[in-house]
Amino acid sequence: MSGLLEGKRLLITGVITDASIAFHVAKIAQEQGAQVVLTGFGRMSLVERIAQRLPTPAPVIELDVTNQEHLDGLADKVREHVDGIDGVVHSIGFAPASCLGNPFLEAPWEDVATTVQVSAYSFMSLTKALLPLLHEGASVVGMDFDARQAWPAYNWMGVAKAGLESVTRYLAKELGPKQIRVNLVAAGPVRTMAAKSIPGFKDIEEQWGPRAPLGWKVDDPEPVGKSVCALLSDWLPATTGSMVWVDGGFHAVGM
């Protein structure tokens, strides 16, 4: 379907490499007619190089979602490139080593707080920072991993993802009167740089394909990218506070 996002102005976070889910969202969005602005954190020179690999090189804004000054100035920085925002992609998550793989009972609160702030609370803070630019009919999409159950080694990131799912529902309730939709895409395991840092991820990905009814390719982010773009489009105008499963059907059958 050519031009699904024709004329849309999108802010996409979370691009680190060209294997990132966010990179593929940006690529597909551009191919469907969208204008894209990226945000990056930490390795800005790397993100800027990766942004040049998109069909149309995209501008990159530095954004640390734990830095209130960055959030307060975000709308003005985005205005340097576009005059409004029709869609936002939140593809941000982080957990200190104590919260991933290490014993669940031993993670200190300081590390847990960081995990929750970056991986769940930031969905609200990012959206709030962009509210002056979000138009009626805009779509905000976050990236999730099934938080209904406890996964091996996922530990406090799993707790943060459960919080992210709740944040989505409350954001949908708050922003519905403004006709702004808020949804999540719950993706199956994709072999990104972030995923490689998760202890036990290989065990999860090895089981996913054989058990998913449609099968699953851990090295193919395109199905996830297409689904995010569908939510960013005008073709799901009455869908909000929801989670779209893009996992080959694995969630329906379990481990």
Side-chain angles (χ1 to χ4, degrees):
M1 186 181 296
S2 180
L4 184 69
L5 297 173
E6 194 68 41
K8 298 289 189 186
R9 299 153 300 179
L10 309 178
L11 182 81
I12 299 176
T13 69
V15 172
I16 301 175
T17 71
D18 52 10
S20 302
I21 291 174
F23 177 86
H24 286 269
V25 173
K27 178 177 179 291
I28 294 166
Q30 285 188 342
E31 291 169 349
Q32 293 299 318
Q35 183 178 358
V36 170
V37 178
L38 304 179
T39 73
F41 171 65
R43 292 162 285 190
M44 288 299 294
S45 59
L46 173 60
V47 179
E48 288 164 354
R49 287 201 305 273
I50 297 301
Q52 298 300 308
R53 299 181 185 177
L54 289 168
T56 301
V60 181
I61 297 169
E62 184 176 13
L63 176 64
D64 175 358
V65 291
T66 69
N67 185 323
Q68 193 57 48
E69 290 185 5
H70 281 202
L71 291 167
D72 291 342
L74 181 59
D76 287 338
K77 288 185 179 296
V78 173
R79 284 192 186 97
E80 295 175 8
H81 306 286
V82 291
D83 59 0
I85 292 290
D86 303 294
V88 179
V89 177
H90 177 280
S91 186
I92 298 171
F94 171 75
S98 66
C99 294
L100 276 172
N102 288 335
F104 181 79
L105 299 180
E106 295 180 10
W109 165 242
E110 292 78 10
D111 288 353
V112 172
T114 297
T115 304
V116 172
Q117 181 180 13
V118 176
S119 308
Y121 181 82
S122 70
F123 196 31
M124 182 282 292
S125 57
L126 174 67
T127 305
K128 180 180 177 182
L130 293 169
L131 269 181
L133 296 175
L134 288 170
H135 289 254
E136 181 176 308
S139 174
V140 181
V141 182
M143 298 306 306
D144 191 20
F145 189 73
D146 182 6
R148 298 173 306 162
Q149 54 192 315
W151 295 96
Y154 207 48
N155 293 0
W156 287 100
M157 181 61 87
V159 175
K161 289 297 186 183
L164 177 69
E165 293 174 9
S166 186
V167 170
T168 300
R169 292 186 286 271
Y170 281 96
L171 273 178
K173 178 177 73 71
E174 292 293 321
L175 300 184
K178 299 180 184 293
Q179 296 301 300
I180 296 172
R181 294 168 286 135
V182 186
N183 294 287
L184 293 177
V185 167
V190 177
R191 198 173 289 159
T192 63
M193 181 182 291
K196 290 176 183 176
S197 69
I198 301 173
F201 180 80
K202 185 171 174 54
D203 293 335
I204 294 173
E205 69 176 20
E206 286 178 349
Q207 297 183 56
W208 211 276
R211 292 177 183 267
L214 293 176
W216 185 253
K217 297 178 181 178
V218 296
D219 56 355
D220 182 12
E222 189 168 287
V224 181
K226 286 181 175 179
S227 300
V228 172
C229 286
L231 282 170
L232 291 169
S233 78
D234 295 329
W235 281 85
L236 292 162
T239 300
T240 195
S242 297
M243 183 162 63
V244 176
W245 301 91
V246 187
D247 64 351
F250 183 94
H251 72 279
V253 297
M255 296 291 282

